Short mmCIF file of all heavy atoms in Angstrom, two decimals:
data_model
loop_
_atom_site.label_atom_id
_atom_site.label_comp_id
_atom_site.label_asym_id
_atom_site.label_seq_id
_atom_site.Cartn_x
_atom_site.Cartn_y
_atom_site.Cartn_z
N ILE A 1 98.64 13.24 8.98
CA ILE A 1 97.50 12.47 9.30
C ILE A 1 96.58 12.40 7.93
O ILE A 1 96.01 11.32 7.49
CB ILE A 1 96.65 13.08 10.36
CG1 ILE A 1 97.38 12.82 11.78
CG2 ILE A 1 95.13 12.43 10.47
CD1 ILE A 1 96.64 13.61 12.96
N PHE A 2 96.42 13.59 7.27
CA PHE A 2 95.58 13.65 6.06
C PHE A 2 96.19 12.71 5.04
O PHE A 2 95.53 12.08 4.30
CB PHE A 2 95.41 15.16 5.66
CG PHE A 2 94.53 15.25 4.53
CD1 PHE A 2 93.19 14.87 4.64
CD2 PHE A 2 94.95 15.73 3.27
CE1 PHE A 2 92.29 15.11 3.64
CE2 PHE A 2 94.10 15.94 2.24
CZ PHE A 2 92.70 15.43 2.36
N ALA A 3 97.61 12.83 4.96
CA ALA A 3 98.25 12.01 3.90
C ALA A 3 97.90 10.52 4.13
O ALA A 3 97.68 9.70 3.23
CB ALA A 3 99.77 12.30 3.99
N TYR A 4 98.04 10.09 5.39
CA TYR A 4 97.81 8.72 5.68
C TYR A 4 96.37 8.34 5.37
O TYR A 4 96.02 7.13 4.84
CB TYR A 4 98.04 8.38 7.16
CG TYR A 4 97.88 6.93 7.53
CD1 TYR A 4 98.73 6.02 7.06
CD2 TYR A 4 96.76 6.49 8.35
CE1 TYR A 4 98.55 4.59 7.31
CE2 TYR A 4 96.50 5.22 8.63
CZ TYR A 4 97.43 4.30 8.21
OH TYR A 4 97.27 3.00 8.47
N LEU A 5 95.43 9.21 5.66
CA LEU A 5 94.00 8.93 5.30
C LEU A 5 93.84 8.81 3.75
O LEU A 5 93.08 7.88 3.35
CB LEU A 5 93.10 10.00 5.83
CG LEU A 5 93.06 10.06 7.37
CD1 LEU A 5 92.12 11.32 7.75
CD2 LEU A 5 92.51 8.79 7.98
N VAL A 6 94.50 9.66 3.01
CA VAL A 6 94.48 9.52 1.57
C VAL A 6 95.02 8.30 1.09
O VAL A 6 94.52 7.60 0.20
CB VAL A 6 95.17 10.74 0.95
CG1 VAL A 6 95.39 10.63 -0.54
CG2 VAL A 6 94.48 12.07 1.22
N HIS A 7 96.14 7.91 1.71
CA HIS A 7 96.76 6.62 1.39
C HIS A 7 95.77 5.44 1.68
O HIS A 7 95.89 4.48 0.77
CB HIS A 7 98.04 6.48 2.23
CG HIS A 7 98.78 5.22 2.16
ND1 HIS A 7 99.48 4.75 1.01
CD2 HIS A 7 98.86 4.14 3.03
CE1 HIS A 7 99.96 3.50 1.35
NE2 HIS A 7 99.67 3.18 2.41
N ARG A 8 94.95 5.50 2.63
CA ARG A 8 94.05 4.41 2.98
C ARG A 8 92.78 4.48 2.03
O ARG A 8 92.10 3.55 2.07
CB ARG A 8 93.74 4.49 4.43
CG ARG A 8 94.87 4.14 5.34
CD ARG A 8 95.36 2.74 5.14
NE ARG A 8 94.33 1.86 5.34
CZ ARG A 8 93.84 1.29 6.37
NH1 ARG A 8 94.42 1.58 7.65
NH2 ARG A 8 92.83 0.35 6.43
N ASN A 9 92.75 5.53 1.19
CA ASN A 9 91.75 5.57 0.08
C ASN A 9 90.24 5.24 0.62
O ASN A 9 89.56 4.36 0.09
CB ASN A 9 92.10 4.50 -0.94
CG ASN A 9 91.43 4.74 -2.24
OD1 ASN A 9 90.62 5.72 -2.41
ND2 ASN A 9 91.45 3.76 -3.15
N GLY A 10 89.89 6.00 1.60
CA GLY A 10 88.55 5.83 2.13
C GLY A 10 88.26 4.89 3.20
O GLY A 10 87.09 4.78 3.81
N SER A 11 89.21 4.00 3.53
CA SER A 11 89.10 3.05 4.66
C SER A 11 89.12 3.83 5.97
O SER A 11 89.85 4.84 6.20
CB SER A 11 90.36 2.10 4.69
OG SER A 11 90.21 1.27 3.52
N SER A 12 88.23 3.46 6.81
CA SER A 12 88.15 4.10 8.28
C SER A 12 89.39 3.74 9.07
O SER A 12 89.70 2.56 9.13
CB SER A 12 86.79 3.65 8.99
OG SER A 12 86.82 4.26 10.23
N CYS A 13 90.02 4.70 9.61
CA CYS A 13 91.10 4.48 10.35
C CYS A 13 91.01 5.00 11.88
O CYS A 13 90.57 6.17 12.14
CB CYS A 13 92.39 5.16 9.90
SG CYS A 13 92.71 4.81 8.14
N THR A 14 91.25 4.11 12.89
CA THR A 14 91.17 4.61 14.24
C THR A 14 92.22 5.59 14.69
O THR A 14 93.31 5.62 14.02
CB THR A 14 91.14 3.37 15.29
OG1 THR A 14 92.43 2.77 15.27
CG2 THR A 14 90.11 2.37 14.80
N ILE A 15 91.94 6.37 15.57
CA ILE A 15 93.04 7.30 16.02
C ILE A 15 94.17 6.60 16.53
O ILE A 15 95.30 6.98 16.37
CB ILE A 15 92.48 8.30 17.23
CG1 ILE A 15 91.09 8.98 16.59
CG2 ILE A 15 93.42 9.16 17.58
CD1 ILE A 15 91.45 9.94 15.48
N LYS A 16 93.98 5.42 17.12
CA LYS A 16 95.13 4.66 17.80
C LYS A 16 95.91 4.21 16.62
O LYS A 16 97.19 4.07 16.79
CB LYS A 16 94.52 3.58 18.67
CG LYS A 16 95.60 2.67 19.28
CD LYS A 16 95.03 1.68 20.23
CE LYS A 16 96.13 0.80 20.87
NZ LYS A 16 95.53 -0.21 21.72
N GLU A 17 95.29 3.68 15.57
CA GLU A 17 96.02 3.05 14.47
C GLU A 17 96.96 4.23 13.70
O GLU A 17 98.10 4.02 13.35
CB GLU A 17 95.09 2.53 13.32
CG GLU A 17 95.72 2.24 11.92
CD GLU A 17 94.72 1.97 10.83
OE1 GLU A 17 93.57 1.84 11.17
OE2 GLU A 17 95.14 2.01 9.70
N ILE A 18 96.36 5.55 13.65
CA ILE A 18 97.00 6.55 13.09
C ILE A 18 98.20 6.89 13.88
O ILE A 18 99.38 7.24 13.38
CB ILE A 18 96.10 7.83 12.85
CG1 ILE A 18 94.94 7.51 11.96
CG2 ILE A 18 96.82 8.89 12.31
CD1 ILE A 18 93.83 8.50 11.78
N ALA A 19 98.01 6.91 15.18
CA ALA A 19 99.11 7.31 16.14
C ALA A 19 100.20 6.26 15.94
O ALA A 19 101.49 6.69 16.08
CB ALA A 19 98.60 7.19 17.53
N ALA A 20 99.93 4.96 15.86
CA ALA A 20 100.91 3.89 15.73
C ALA A 20 101.71 4.15 14.48
O ALA A 20 102.97 3.88 14.46
CB ALA A 20 100.27 2.51 15.77
N VAL A 21 101.10 4.60 13.38
CA VAL A 21 101.88 4.90 12.14
C VAL A 21 102.75 6.06 12.27
O VAL A 21 103.89 6.11 11.94
CB VAL A 21 100.82 5.15 11.05
CG1 VAL A 21 101.55 5.63 9.61
CG2 VAL A 21 100.14 3.75 10.68
N LEU A 22 102.19 7.09 12.82
CA LEU A 22 102.93 8.33 12.92
C LEU A 22 104.07 8.46 13.99
O LEU A 22 105.17 9.02 13.81
CB LEU A 22 102.02 9.59 13.36
CG LEU A 22 101.49 10.32 12.03
CD1 LEU A 22 100.59 9.39 11.26
CD2 LEU A 22 100.65 11.52 12.55
N PHE A 23 103.85 7.71 15.12
CA PHE A 23 104.76 7.59 16.12
C PHE A 23 105.57 6.27 16.50
O PHE A 23 106.01 6.13 17.58
CB PHE A 23 104.17 8.21 17.45
CG PHE A 23 103.53 9.64 17.09
CD1 PHE A 23 102.11 9.80 17.15
CD2 PHE A 23 104.35 10.71 16.94
CE1 PHE A 23 101.61 11.02 16.88
CE2 PHE A 23 103.80 11.99 16.85
CZ PHE A 23 102.43 12.08 16.82
N GLU A 24 105.21 5.31 15.59
CA GLU A 24 105.88 4.05 15.71
C GLU A 24 105.66 3.32 17.07
O GLU A 24 104.53 3.05 17.49
CB GLU A 24 107.34 4.06 15.30
CG GLU A 24 107.54 4.43 13.74
CD GLU A 24 109.05 4.42 13.49
OE1 GLU A 24 109.70 5.37 13.65
OE2 GLU A 24 109.37 3.27 13.00
N ASP A 25 106.72 3.20 17.83
CA ASP A 25 106.80 2.45 19.05
C ASP A 25 106.44 3.25 20.39
O ASP A 25 106.47 2.72 21.53
CB ASP A 25 108.15 1.84 19.30
CG ASP A 25 108.44 0.74 18.13
OD1 ASP A 25 107.56 0.23 17.60
OD2 ASP A 25 109.69 0.61 17.83
N GLU A 26 106.17 4.49 20.17
CA GLU A 26 105.80 5.18 21.37
C GLU A 26 104.50 4.80 21.89
O GLU A 26 103.49 4.25 21.19
CB GLU A 26 105.56 6.74 21.02
CG GLU A 26 106.89 7.42 20.50
CD GLU A 26 106.72 8.87 20.31
OE1 GLU A 26 105.68 9.51 20.79
OE2 GLU A 26 107.48 9.43 19.64
N PRO A 27 104.36 4.71 23.24
CA PRO A 27 103.10 4.16 23.88
C PRO A 27 101.94 5.14 23.66
O PRO A 27 101.96 6.35 23.61
CB PRO A 27 103.46 4.10 25.43
CG PRO A 27 104.46 5.21 25.46
CD PRO A 27 105.25 5.12 24.31
N TYR A 28 100.79 4.37 23.42
CA TYR A 28 99.46 5.14 23.23
C TYR A 28 98.91 5.45 24.59
O TYR A 28 97.84 4.88 24.99
CB TYR A 28 98.51 4.35 22.38
CG TYR A 28 97.41 5.25 21.93
CD1 TYR A 28 97.42 6.23 21.07
CD2 TYR A 28 96.02 4.72 22.26
CE1 TYR A 28 96.31 7.03 20.58
CE2 TYR A 28 94.84 5.51 21.88
CZ TYR A 28 95.05 6.57 21.05
OH TYR A 28 93.98 7.28 20.61
N ASP A 29 99.49 6.36 25.39
CA ASP A 29 99.00 6.67 26.69
C ASP A 29 98.22 7.99 26.63
O ASP A 29 97.86 8.45 25.59
CB ASP A 29 100.36 6.89 27.63
CG ASP A 29 101.26 7.95 27.03
OD1 ASP A 29 100.88 8.75 26.18
OD2 ASP A 29 102.45 8.00 27.42
N LYS A 30 97.86 8.41 27.77
CA LYS A 30 96.97 9.56 27.87
C LYS A 30 97.57 10.78 27.18
O LYS A 30 96.91 11.54 26.58
CB LYS A 30 96.60 9.93 29.37
CG LYS A 30 95.59 10.90 29.54
CD LYS A 30 94.30 10.53 29.24
CE LYS A 30 93.10 11.47 29.45
NZ LYS A 30 91.80 10.98 29.02
N LYS A 31 98.89 10.97 27.28
CA LYS A 31 99.48 12.12 26.79
C LYS A 31 99.42 12.15 25.25
O LYS A 31 99.14 13.03 24.60
CB LYS A 31 101.01 12.11 27.23
CG LYS A 31 101.87 13.28 26.57
CD LYS A 31 103.26 13.25 27.05
CE LYS A 31 104.10 14.41 26.46
NZ LYS A 31 105.41 14.29 26.91
N GLN A 32 99.72 10.99 24.71
CA GLN A 32 99.56 10.84 23.23
C GLN A 32 98.18 10.93 22.75
O GLN A 32 97.92 11.47 21.68
CB GLN A 32 100.20 9.46 22.68
CG GLN A 32 100.45 9.48 21.26
CD GLN A 32 101.03 8.13 20.70
OE1 GLN A 32 100.38 7.27 20.48
NE2 GLN A 32 102.32 8.17 20.67
N GLN A 33 97.24 10.46 23.48
CA GLN A 33 95.86 10.61 23.17
C GLN A 33 95.42 12.01 23.04
O GLN A 33 94.71 12.43 22.08
CB GLN A 33 94.90 9.77 24.11
CG GLN A 33 95.08 8.29 24.06
CD GLN A 33 94.22 7.58 25.10
OE1 GLN A 33 93.14 7.93 25.46
NE2 GLN A 33 94.83 6.55 25.71
N ASN A 34 95.86 12.85 23.99
CA ASN A 34 95.61 14.30 24.00
C ASN A 34 96.23 14.83 22.90
O ASN A 34 95.59 15.80 22.20
CB ASN A 34 95.96 14.86 25.32
CG ASN A 34 95.22 14.44 26.45
OD1 ASN A 34 94.05 14.14 26.33
ND2 ASN A 34 95.69 14.53 27.69
N TYR A 35 97.44 14.51 22.48
CA TYR A 35 98.11 15.11 21.38
C TYR A 35 97.39 14.76 20.03
O TYR A 35 97.37 15.58 19.29
CB TYR A 35 99.67 14.68 21.31
CG TYR A 35 100.43 15.21 20.36
CD1 TYR A 35 100.38 16.55 20.05
CD2 TYR A 35 101.36 14.47 19.53
CE1 TYR A 35 101.21 17.23 19.02
CE2 TYR A 35 102.15 15.03 18.60
CZ TYR A 35 102.10 16.44 18.39
OH TYR A 35 102.84 16.99 17.36
N MET A 36 96.97 13.56 19.99
CA MET A 36 96.22 13.11 18.77
C MET A 36 94.96 13.94 18.66
O MET A 36 94.51 14.30 17.49
CB MET A 36 95.95 11.64 18.71
CG MET A 36 97.28 10.78 18.49
SD MET A 36 98.02 11.04 16.82
CE MET A 36 96.61 10.65 15.87
N GLN A 37 94.30 14.18 19.61
CA GLN A 37 93.17 14.98 19.73
C GLN A 37 93.42 16.38 19.15
O GLN A 37 92.68 16.95 18.39
CB GLN A 37 92.46 15.03 21.09
CG GLN A 37 91.12 15.73 21.11
CD GLN A 37 90.49 15.59 22.44
OE1 GLN A 37 91.25 15.55 23.54
NE2 GLN A 37 89.20 15.85 22.65
N GLN A 38 94.46 16.94 19.71
CA GLN A 38 94.85 18.31 19.16
C GLN A 38 95.31 18.25 17.79
O GLN A 38 94.86 19.22 16.90
CB GLN A 38 96.08 18.69 19.99
CG GLN A 38 95.87 19.01 21.47
CD GLN A 38 97.20 19.29 22.19
OE1 GLN A 38 98.16 19.79 21.52
NE2 GLN A 38 97.25 18.96 23.46
N LEU A 39 95.98 17.27 17.25
CA LEU A 39 96.35 17.14 15.87
C LEU A 39 95.02 17.06 14.95
O LEU A 39 94.91 17.52 13.88
CB LEU A 39 97.17 15.99 15.53
CG LEU A 39 98.62 16.12 16.12
CD1 LEU A 39 99.36 14.88 15.83
CD2 LEU A 39 99.29 17.36 15.59
N THR A 40 94.15 16.15 15.40
CA THR A 40 92.80 15.93 14.64
C THR A 40 92.14 17.28 14.50
O THR A 40 91.54 17.72 13.53
CB THR A 40 92.03 14.93 15.27
OG1 THR A 40 92.63 13.68 15.42
CG2 THR A 40 90.66 14.72 14.61
N HIS A 41 92.03 18.00 15.75
CA HIS A 41 91.41 19.31 15.75
C HIS A 41 92.06 20.27 14.76
O HIS A 41 91.39 21.09 13.95
CB HIS A 41 91.34 19.92 17.05
CG HIS A 41 90.87 21.34 17.17
ND1 HIS A 41 89.41 21.47 17.20
CD2 HIS A 41 91.37 22.50 17.30
CE1 HIS A 41 89.22 22.85 17.19
NE2 HIS A 41 90.39 23.35 17.24
N ALA A 42 93.42 20.27 14.71
CA ALA A 42 94.11 21.22 13.76
C ALA A 42 93.83 20.76 12.34
O ALA A 42 93.79 21.59 11.45
CB ALA A 42 95.59 21.06 14.12
#
């Protein structure tokens, strides 16, 4: 996640956008939202 943010060079990225990059075609459902929250916290 940090690498992607560095790549975007200061541009604001939504959590949904980051999830789409990291997990490609996986659905952005409640389970993935919770996982992204855990990763952001980490």
Side-chain angles (χ1 to χ4, degrees):
I1 290 175
F2 187 63
Y4 182 70
L5 297 176
V6 170
H7 174 70
R8 292 297 305 276
N9 195 4
S11 296
S12 182
C13 306
T14 66
I15 301 301
K16 184 176 181 180
E17 173 192 342
I18 298 170
V21 171
L22 268 61
F23 304 110
E24 294 188 271
D25 299 326
E26 293 184 21
Y28 189 63
D29 53 17
K30 188 66 175 179
K31 181 180 178 181
Q32 191 178 88
Q33 291 176 40
N34 289 336
Y35 184 43
M36 287 298 300
Q37 186 176 21
Q38 293 173 26
L39 292 176
T40 300
H41 176 77

